[in-house]
């Protein structure tokens, strides 16, 4: 076998490994709650809703505008897998840019490709690359910017292109501002003051176009309130140490290999790559809530630096036995990590399918936005601790209860609903009951006290639809008609008379499905 064919086979194996890993993570790994938030906003924009004004959001919305047609075209909840595949594709292209950058330091593309695949197999990195979130396309923009900046000498024209790309990265994910500032400093060291000015003006132009779009949409004021001021005064924060520790435990060899590669860089000659290291680290440290996705830019730089270090010790890696042992050890270690951290999305998919079949239209209330491809209940399609800390709890509770009373939607009792204000919890406890068919679902329900059944009583049905009636004991009459136990009865909005014949107890009415409007 010739060297050329051996390299082609090795490249094919790397590509196959990337595709298989992506298929597994995109198709089966558990959903992150952020994915539903991003997917819903994209769907809402594609259906004519104005961000910040008609639907709450505290992120910049370029990503959602770009993926909106995909979310709307697919038209069902499974479209989130298409959005996940787009993210994985963006991550793969970012890996190719890492290969190009490392090659300028004399690194064999196969080495960088192998390091990139291993990094993507690290759970905390691979999980984020496979999720429908703006951080991955933003990473792609930054990877292109680093590749473009290291391709040739930077003049003002190239700096202007870099500014536009970095400005786009920020509009995709505002957390990238730290990396963009650091890369801007690298451009200044490499290209001088004229390049720095061109880069800054270009980035400001991109930002100005975004503001113009907000003004054209008529949402400049709410954009400023939610996407700027709310984030500047964000109350929730935590230390990055938790995920830093996870990363060191997950990929110790890669991180150790990156250190000599980083030491190989010169702050002036390699200013762009050094600034990427500084910016990636600053993003992890300075972001108030440094979740795993905040590590993606730094992980990309670690791939390049580790590949440089490995290439410098080629004498060791030329031994097939050593190379095979290292690869097998890495695969075994990563396999054990995935086994420990692996969670599937099977329960979410099953719950989503059951709710979609039984309640095909209308809002579904929860804290995660699981049923993301339909109109949300009220202004806030999702609710989590960070947002809740920024709101007036009493006002939010009053508005939410009013919206629940207006629509009477099914409610997914997820962990976020459990953390909502006490008034919302009390309302759900009084007016909703656990559904018997779908796990975790609450539906409007009415409990009739036994003391009121002998002479008959009147119950008020809040929403027209099919109601399942369950009880223990003798015959039961609804509107003077005998019904069978656990039967489904069509009831209109308003008062209905219920009377028992004989001993009856535990009468509960639960909404089975809502009549179509």
């Amino acid at each position: 076998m010739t060297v050329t064919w051996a390299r082609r086979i090795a490249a094919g194996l790397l590509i196959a490994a990337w595709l298989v890993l992506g298929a597994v993570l995109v198709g089966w790994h558990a959903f992150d709650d952020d994915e539903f938030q991003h997917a819903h906003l994209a769907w809402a924009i594609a259906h004519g809703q104005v961000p910040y004004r008609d639907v709450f959001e505290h992120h910049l919305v370029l990503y959602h505008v770009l993926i909106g047609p995909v979310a709307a075209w697919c038209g069902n909840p499974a479209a989130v897998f298409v959005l996940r595949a787009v993210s994985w594709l963006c991550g793969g292209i970012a890996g190719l840019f890492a290969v190009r950058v490392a090659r300028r330091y004399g690194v064999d593309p196969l080495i960088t490709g192998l390091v990139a695949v291993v990094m993507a197999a690290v759970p905390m990195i691979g999980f984020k690359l496979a999720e429908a979130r703006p951080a991955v396309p933003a990473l792609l923009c930054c990877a292109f910017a680093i590749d473009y900046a290291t391709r040739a000498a930077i003049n003002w024209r190239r700096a202007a292109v870099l500014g536009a790309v970095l400005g786009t990265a920020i509009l995709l994910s505002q957390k990238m501002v730290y990396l963009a500032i650091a890369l801007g400093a690298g451009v200044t060291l490499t290209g001088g003051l004229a390049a720095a000015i061109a880069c800054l003006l270009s980035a400001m132009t991109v930002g100005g176009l975004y503001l113009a779009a907000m003004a054209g949409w008529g949402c400049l004021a709410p954009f400023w309130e939610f996407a700027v001021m709310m984030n500047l005064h964000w109350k929730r924060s935590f230390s990055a140490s938790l995920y830093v520790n996870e990363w060191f435990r997950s990929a110790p060899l890669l991180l150790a290999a990156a250190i000599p590669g980083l030491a190989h860089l010169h702050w002036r000659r390699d200013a762009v790559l050094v600034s990427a290291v500084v910016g990636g680290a600053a993003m992890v440290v300075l972001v108030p809530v440094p979740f795993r996705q905040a590590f993606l830019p730094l992980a990309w730089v670690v791939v390049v630096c580790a590949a440089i270090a490995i290439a410098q010790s080629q004498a060791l890696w030329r031994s097939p036995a050593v190379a095979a042992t290292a690869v097998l050890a890495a695969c075994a270690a990563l396999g054990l990590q995935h086994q420990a951290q692996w969670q599937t999305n099977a329960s979410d998919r099953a719950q989503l399918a059951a709710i979609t079949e039984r309640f095909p239209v209308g809002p579904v209330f929860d804290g995660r936005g699981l049923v993301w491809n339909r109109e949300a209940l009220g202004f806030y399609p999702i609710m989590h601790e960070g947002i809740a800390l920024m709101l007036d709890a009493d006002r939010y509770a009053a508005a939410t209860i009013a919206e629940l009373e207006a629509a009477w939607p099914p409610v997914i009792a997820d962990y976020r609903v459990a953390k909502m204000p006490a008034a919302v919890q009390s309302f759900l406890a009084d007016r909703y009951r656990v559904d018997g068919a779908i796990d975790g679902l609450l539906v409007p329900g009415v409990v009739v006290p036994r003391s009121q059944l002998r002479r008959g009583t009147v119950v008020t049905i809040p929403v027209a639809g099919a109601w399942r009636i369950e009880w223990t004991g003798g015959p039961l009459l609804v509107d003077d008609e005998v019904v069978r136990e656990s039967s489904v009865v069509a009831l209109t909005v308003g008062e209905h008379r219920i009377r028992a014949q004989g001993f009856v107890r535990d009468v509960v009415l639960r909404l089975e499905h809502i009549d179509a409007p």
Side-chain angles (χ1 to χ4, degrees):
M1 182 183 295
T2 64
V3 175
T4 301
W5 274 106
R7 291 181 61 83
R8 287 177 180 174
I9 292 174
L13 290 174
L14 286 177
I15 294 172
W18 178 269
L19 293 175
V20 170
L21 180 62
V24 172
L25 294 179
V26 167
W28 284 279
H29 182 60
F31 293 118
D32 187 284
D33 297 340
D34 290 349
E35 296 184 79
F36 306 126
Q37 177 181 354
H38 295 305
H40 174 75
L41 182 61
W43 178 91
I45 292 174
H47 284 80
Q49 295 188 40
V50 176
Y52 312 117
R53 189 192 70 188
D54 300 333
V55 57
F56 171 81
E57 186 54 68
H58 64 101
H59 297 93
L60 301 177
V61 298
L62 177 59
Y63 170 77
H64 312 90
V65 171
L66 294 176
I67 67 169
V70 177
W73 172 68
C74 293
N76 65 71
V80 72
F81 292 108
V82 179
L83 303 181
R84 281 183 150 199
V86 170
S87 289
W88 190 256
L89 175 62
C90 290
I93 299 173
L96 293 178
F97 284 125
V99 170
R100 288 168 58 94
V101 171
R103 192 170 189 176
R104 298 188 185 107
Y105 291 86
V107 182
D108 189 322
L110 290 179
I111 293 177
T112 312
L114 176 60
V115 175
V117 171
V118 172
M119 180 62 81
V122 174
M124 69 173 286
I125 301 301
F127 293 168
K128 299 298 116 177
L129 288 174
E131 292 173 359
R133 59 172 63 254
V136 188
L139 170 68
L140 173 57
C141 289
C142 292
F144 169 80
I146 296 170
D147 172 62
Y148 188 75
T150 56
R151 192 183 309 170
I154 297 178
N155 54 31
W156 70 269
R157 292 184 180 86
R158 296 180 68 83
V161 173
L162 289 171
V165 174
L166 293 176
T168 302
I170 295 172
L171 293 182
L172 287 168
S173 175
Q174 60 259 45
K175 297 181 182 69
M176 292 292 175
V177 67
Y178 303 103
L179 181 60
I181 291 173
L183 290 175
V187 169
T188 303
L189 288 173
T190 305
L193 184 60
I197 294 173
C199 182
L200 179 61
L201 290 176
S202 181
M204 291 176 63
T205 300
V206 172
L209 292 173
Y210 186 87
L211 292 176
M214 295 300 101
W217 250 335
C219 63
L220 194 57
F223 155 75
W224 184 260
E225 178 185 356
F226 297 124
V228 179
M229 299 308 297
M230 177 177 280
N231 287 319
L232 288 176
H233 296 90
W234 197 254
K235 294 180 180 179
R236 188 191 180 197
S237 64
F238 58 83
S239 170
S241 59
L242 173 65
Y243 294 120
V244 169
N245 181 49
E246 180 183 344
W247 199 19
F248 273 95
R249 287 187 289 105
S250 300
L253 294 180
L254 277 180
L255 295 172
I259 294 174
L262 179 60
H264 175 78
L265 304 178
H266 186 273
W267 70 272
R268 190 62 183 266
R269 182 192 65 225
D270 308 303
V272 172
L273 202 51
V274 171
S275 67
V277 175
V278 174
M283 183 171 167
V284 169
V285 173
L286 298 179
V287 168
V289 283
F291 289 109
R292 294 180 179 93
Q293 57 268 23
F295 288 76
L296 291 181
L298 192 56
W300 186 93
V301 182
V302 166
V303 167
V304 175
C305 292
I308 292 172
I310 293 170
Q312 290 176 336
S313 56
Q314 282 188 0
L316 178 65
W317 293 99
R318 282 172 184 165
S319 168
V322 172
T325 301
V327 171
L328 290 175
C331 290
L334 292 170
L336 290 174
Q337 291 179 38
H338 276 278
Q339 184 179 16
Q341 300 185 36
W342 182 257
Q343 294 178 316
T344 73
N345 53 39
S347 60
D348 277 339
R349 286 190 287 108
Q351 187 181 52
L352 186 56
I355 292 173
T356 301
E357 179 180 4
R358 185 162 149 200
F359 299 96
V361 296
V364 176
F365 181 74
D366 65 348
R368 302 168 63 209
L370 177 64
V371 189
W372 58 266
N373 65 323
R374 61 177 73 176
E375 192 82 22
L377 185 77
F379 182 62
Y380 297 95
I382 57 97
M383 182 54 58
H384 58 66
E385 181 183 354
I387 299 173
L389 288 173
M390 305 302 296
L391 303 179
D392 183 307
D394 292 336
R395 290 180 59 185
Y396 170 75
T400 300
I401 291 171
E403 290 152 359
L404 287 168
E405 289 181 319
W408 295 100
V411 173
I412 302 174
D414 58 35
Y415 73 99
R416 289 184 172 180
V417 171
K419 295 180 180 180
M420 288 184 179
V424 176
Q425 300 293 331
S426 178
F427 177 85
L428 293 177
D430 291 342
R431 309 299 292 276
Y432 276 75
R433 292 293 174 266
V434 174
D435 183 75
I438 302 176
D439 289 340
L441 191 71
L442 303 178
V443 292
V446 179
V447 176
V448 184
R450 184 178 65 181
S451 60
Q452 300 177 7
L453 289 170
R454 189 62 179 269
R455 296 183 179 180
T457 186
V458 173
V459 298
T460 301
I461 297 299
V463 58
W467 287 73
R468 184 175 297 278
I469 306 177
E470 298 175 328
W471 73 91
T472 301
L476 192 72
L477 287 80
V478 176
D479 294 332
D480 297 324
E481 293 186 7
V482 177
V483 296
R484 292 179 299 173
E485 198 276 333
S486 196
S487 62
V488 177
V489 179
L491 298 176
T492 58
V493 176
E495 295 182 344
H496 295 267
R497 183 171 178 79
I498 295 181
R499 182 168 56 89
Q501 289 183 340
F503 179 79
V504 170
R505 65 178 181 180
D506 303 328
V507 176
V508 179
L509 288 79
R510 293 184 180 88
L511 180 67
E512 188 70 14
H513 63 79
I514 300 174
D515 286 348

